[in-house]
Amino acid sequence: MAEPTRDSLADVLDEIALLLELKGENPFKIRAYRNGAEVVRSFDGDILQRARDGELKGIKGIGDALQEKLHELASTGHLEFHENLKAEFPEGLFELFDVQGLGPKKVKALYEELKIASLGALKRAAEAGKIATLAGFGKKSEEKILAALAQKERFAGRFLLAEVAPHAERILAELRAHPAVSRAEVAGSYRRAKETVHDLDFLVATRKPAELTAHFAALDGIEEVIAHGDTKASIRLENGLQCDLRAISNAEWPFALMYFSGSKEHNVSLRQRALKQDLTLNEYHLAPVDGATRDDPTGKIKDEAGIYRELGLAYVDPALRENRGEIEAAESGDLPVLLEQENLRGTFHNHTTESDGRSTLAEMAAAARGLGFAYLGISDHSKSSFQANGLDEERLAAQVAAIAALNEDFDGFRLFAGTEVDILKDGSLDFADDVLATLDYCVASVHASFSMPEKEMTKRIIRAMENPHVTMMGHLTGRLLLRREPYPVNHDKIIDCAAETNTIIELNCSSKRMDMDWRWWHRARDKGVRCSINPDAHHVDHLQALHFGVRVARKGWLRREDVLNTLPLDEVSRWLQTPKDRRA
DNA sequence: GCCGTTTTCGGCCCGACTGTTTTCAGTCG
């Protein structure tokens, strides 16, 4: 078995939860495993080492049983309890859970009654009409299973944040235009700025809910109406994106908006907090629990901030609602003042037609000025990236000269000459130091030899960051969302190295990257690592990605002062000219 | 399986929709 990691520990706990569900175990026990997985994922510290050392005492949500299991898992790489559970069911059974409408009870019935343990077997049984004969299933269930399987084949089921944005805005505008709607919003993971979303959750405040669900179910561009009731409807767009609508009253708005914005974990935490004050929180109200003598605050709450206030908390921005410390920070008054899009003064890491971009140097400069930026960093590929038409030393020198010539004519705007230099297999760079020294800055990225063990890849990247000419680390894990897994790196070590060497880590906000992942920024920030929000633009239109970059940066708790490209031109110029070991 | 300033036992967040039922279980969010 591969070396255990934080994620593999959490994944095993989640898998145990699923297996216990299949066995029909106590639902609260199942929840304890799920909760434990979440605690492991978001724990602030080296939980892997603590698990190895058997030092997990005192972590909320990890009791005696989970402590022992995590210790066994971290120190030996496997868990007997887990292995035994797994042995009770065939491997393929797990993929059945990905079919919409199938939960543990139905999967169990399909397996026990019809010996179905794979998507293929499920399809064959449905087509043969066998499923409709099962108790608890009927003709409709069988049709739904076939439809869900077809849908699964056509669409991955998740979408990039930037990809769904136009649909979200279009539908939102149509809902707001309806005369019976007083307020409308997109809630859910879209509002929380998750890098990928599974569906869009719309919320409207109206006195005529049934009219709105009907309006929603009749929108343009719908492939299928999945469900349509008096207060709730679900549709699927032609691109496969599922959209849900909830219609509620004006008075319920703040409660519903909070509820449907999630995350689920954030909401659960708030509910538990409410219960300590004898209050029950749901999508309709924040009211006294049965039998409590206290007053009902529901009527005086007009917005989400009012709910937080009633619970003794500062307002929590939707991007932070992931139950990763934001509630504690809201209680103690330590929530960050988050970065705003208008704080950005420029951006680094952009390509031109000189390598694999589709806009020229002059076009990129004009586009950046059009957005009101004071500077734009150009960083075309280096020679090893021959697939991307990377520049050699000679072409790079010519580009530096071309940039200098353009800068002659600018007033209050500047192009910075840089490179996106390849980090070679051994951690050395594709350009020699004396070449890098001729540039304003340097982004270093991995573009080849992805399949290395974590240790080696981490060493490779650290060696690059230790170079005095490397300003920032580009797309740290090389992931392509929904397409390519990240290569394994030790984030903790890289963050520590970035802090020590004053190397910036990029938040590459190309919609398919969003790399480094938002989950790591809070920790990086606390260690003093600075971020640069870069679109990795290969066309003038790609500069728009910065909008989503800012939203994801906010999700990573980043403030204006944590982000290099919020500095005005004179300060950022001075900063780049200061030798790396003397930069603040 | 976890947790505790009402508790070391008895709670654990909860409502809408669908389909298969004839009063409700399962799934989803």
Side-chain angles (χ1 to χ4, degrees):
Chain A
M1 161 148 185
E3 190 72 4
T5 64
R6 178 196 286 261
D7 283 337
S8 73
L9 255 51
D11 289 346
V12 169
L13 295 186
D14 269 333
E15 206 171 300
I16 290 173
L18 202 60
L19 287 159
L20 293 177
E21 259 183 334
L22 273 175
K23 295 190 68 165
E25 262 280 7
N26 173 0
F28 298 107
K29 185 194 270 198
I30 292 159
R31 186 187 298 172
Y33 277 97
R34 290 243 156 79
N35 182 50
E38 210 36 54
V39 170
V40 168
R41 278 198 192 92
S42 60
F43 184 76
D44 190 18
D46 194 345
I47 194 145
L48 191 59
Q49 193 58 49
R50 283 180 66 162
R52 249 186 233 126
D53 300 342
E55 300 284 346
L56 293 169
K57 233 180 181 42
I59 299 176
K60 203 160 176 293
I62 310 286
D64 292 340
L66 261 63
Q67 283 179 42
E68 268 182 40
K69 291 190 171 72
L70 286 170
H71 175 61
E72 181 181 338
L73 205 47
S75 50
T76 69
H78 62 89
L79 177 62
E80 201 178 337
F81 176 72
H82 176 227
E83 305 291 332
N84 291 343
L85 267 178
K86 267 209 309 200
E88 293 183 42
F89 301 96
E91 194 77 31
L93 209 52
F94 292 101
E95 60 193 39
L96 297 189
F97 285 93
D98 295 334
V99 178
Q100 188 158 48
L102 293 188
K105 298 282 162 55
K106 292 198 163 169
V107 168
K108 190 175 185 218
L110 289 167
Y111 174 56
E112 286 179 349
E113 305 297 326
L114 295 176
K115 298 277 162 271
I116 291 173
S118 71
L119 291 178
L122 181 65
K123 192 172 177 189
R124 285 191 295 277
E127 282 168 347
K130 287 186 191 158
I131 287 175
T133 65
L134 282 184
F137 292 78
K139 199 70 209 153
K140 270 270 175 68
S141 324
E142 194 167 81
E143 283 166 16
K144 284 217 152 186
I145 285 173
L146 281 171
L149 283 170
Q151 136 78 18
K152 215 172 126 44
E153 281 171 22
R154 278 181 59 206
F155 308 112
R158 289 199 79 83
F159 299 82
L160 301 175
L161 181 63
E163 180 185 8
V164 301
H167 299 286
E169 299 307 324
R170 172 179 67 87
I171 293 172
L172 188 59
E174 293 205 39
L175 292 172
R176 283 181 174 155
H178 192 284
V181 168
S182 57
R183 279 191 273 195
E185 201 58 72
V186 193
S189 51
Y190 181 80
R191 186 170 184 233
R192 299 201 315 278
K194 281 289 289 289
E195 66 278 24
T196 63
V197 301
H198 173 251
D199 59 12
L200 290 175
D201 297 298
F202 293 91
L203 189 65
V204 292
T206 178
R207 263 184 249 171
K208 298 176 176 168
E211 217 172 276
L212 262 297
T213 55
H215 176 61
F216 185 71
L219 286 173
D220 283 341
I222 295 181
E223 159 132 339
E224 175 197 3
V225 176
I226 300 167
H228 177 188
D230 283 345
T231 63
K232 186 177 164 176
S234 291
I235 58 176
R236 186 178 315 285
L237 302 182
E238 282 158 358
N239 69 347
L241 177 64
Q242 182 175 331
C243 300
D244 299 334
L245 175 76
R246 287 292 289 248
I248 45 97
S249 72
N250 240 323
E252 293 160 347
W253 176 260
F255 309 101
L257 181 59
M258 170 177 278
Y259 182 88
F260 291 109
S261 293
S263 68
K264 198 172 145 199
E265 291 75 18
H266 180 85
N267 288 348
V268 166
S269 244
L270 287 182
R271 279 209 199 98
Q272 287 167 347
R273 190 178 172 89
L275 282 173
K276 288 187 188 146
Q277 298 178 33
D278 273 352
L279 292 167
T280 168
L281 177 64
N282 62 21
E283 60 259 61
Y284 304 117
H285 58 228
L286 175 64
V289 295
D290 283 345
T293 52
R294 55 163 302 160
D295 62 316
D296 187 339
T298 301
K300 68 179 186 201
I301 291 173
K302 301 298 177 201
D303 52 19
E304 284 182 318
I307 304 176
Y308 286 109
R309 207 178 306 124
E310 191 62 34
L311 296 174
L313 300 170
Y315 175 73
V316 178
D317 188 275
L320 300 183
R321 299 180 193 169
E322 298 290 345
N323 200 30
R324 296 172 70 93
E326 72 279 8
I327 292 175
E328 293 77 0
E331 182 170 30
S332 60
D334 295 322
L335 282 173
V337 178
L338 297 174
L339 172 77
E340 304 277 353
Q341 180 156 9
E342 50 266 36
N343 297 148
L344 295 188
R345 295 284 173 267
T347 185
F348 296 92
H349 196 166
N350 299 288
H351 298 268
T352 72
T353 46
E354 195 58 34
S355 66
D356 61 347
R358 289 181 284 120
S359 300
T360 64
L361 182 59
E363 286 167 347
M364 291 297 287
R369 295 178 79 192
L371 290 173
F373 285 159
Y375 51 90
L376 182 75
I378 300 298
S379 55
D380 271 315
H381 289 285
S382 64
K383 58 183 190 281
S384 286
S385 279
F386 47 84
Q387 79 288 354
N389 188 26
L391 282 61
D392 59 16
E393 288 78 355
E394 201 176 320
R395 287 171 63 209
L396 180 64
Q399 190 183 50
V400 170
I403 286 172
L406 278 174
N407 276 335
E408 293 283 319
D409 293 332
F410 293 138
D411 188 19
F413 178 83
R414 184 171 164 186
L415 287 170
F416 287 117
T419 176
E420 183 182 13
V421 68
D422 268 31
I423 301 175
L424 305 179
K425 206 170 172 183
D426 63 355
S428 64
L429 301 176
D430 199 18
F431 287 131
D433 282 5
D434 60 340
V435 174
L436 295 176
T438 65
L439 303 172
D440 294 318
Y441 76 103
C442 164
V443 183
S445 310
V446 169
H447 287 118
S449 302
F450 291 150
S451 47
M452 275 185 175
E454 178 184 305
K455 241 184 201 155
E456 229 176 293
M457 186 61 94
T458 304
K459 214 172 127 192
R460 174 183 181 186
I461 290 171
I462 282 179
R463 182 170 168 208
M465 291 201 300
E466 284 170 345
N467 183 299
H469 298 291
V470 169
T471 320
M472 57 185 84
M473 180 61 213
H475 47 69
L476 179 63
T477 72
R479 75 176 181 188
L480 294 179
L481 293 167
L482 310 178
R483 286 215 340 248
R484 186 170 77 201
E485 289 293 308
Y487 44 73
V489 298
N490 184 322
H491 282 81
D492 281 313
K493 284 194 174 144
I494 284 169
I495 286 168
D496 285 345
C497 173
E500 277 165 34
T501 58
N502 293 327
T503 308
I504 296 223
I505 297 178
E506 156 182 280
L507 196 178
N508 186 307
C509 63
S510 163
S511 60
K512 57 183 187 286
R513 292 193 186 270
M514 294 300 178
D515 189 8
M516 178 168 80
D517 188 276
W518 59 268
R519 294 160 186 82
W520 293 98
W521 281 111
H522 189 178
R523 192 174 317 180
R525 182 202 88 169
D526 282 351
K527 295 206 165 178
V529 174
R530 273 223 244 193
C531 169
S532 179
I533 303 180
N534 297 336
D536 201 349
H538 286 70
H539 186 272
V540 288
D541 289 348
H542 297 169
L543 292 172
Q544 303 298 331
L546 287 165
H547 167 73
F548 300 100
V550 169
R551 292 189 58 195
V552 171
R554 290 166 64 89
K555 193 163 192 59
W557 292 57
L558 293 180
R559 305 155 299 186
R560 177 184 195 157
E561 60 267 36
D562 303 317
V563 179
L564 177 71
N565 48 323
T566 61
L567 293 180
L569 178 56
D570 55 340
E571 283 182 43
V572 86
S573 300
R574 226 176 302 134
W575 192 88
L576 289 172
Q577 280 160 18
T578 308
K580 194 169 166 184
D581 57 359
R582 280 189 272 141
R583 284 175 191 159

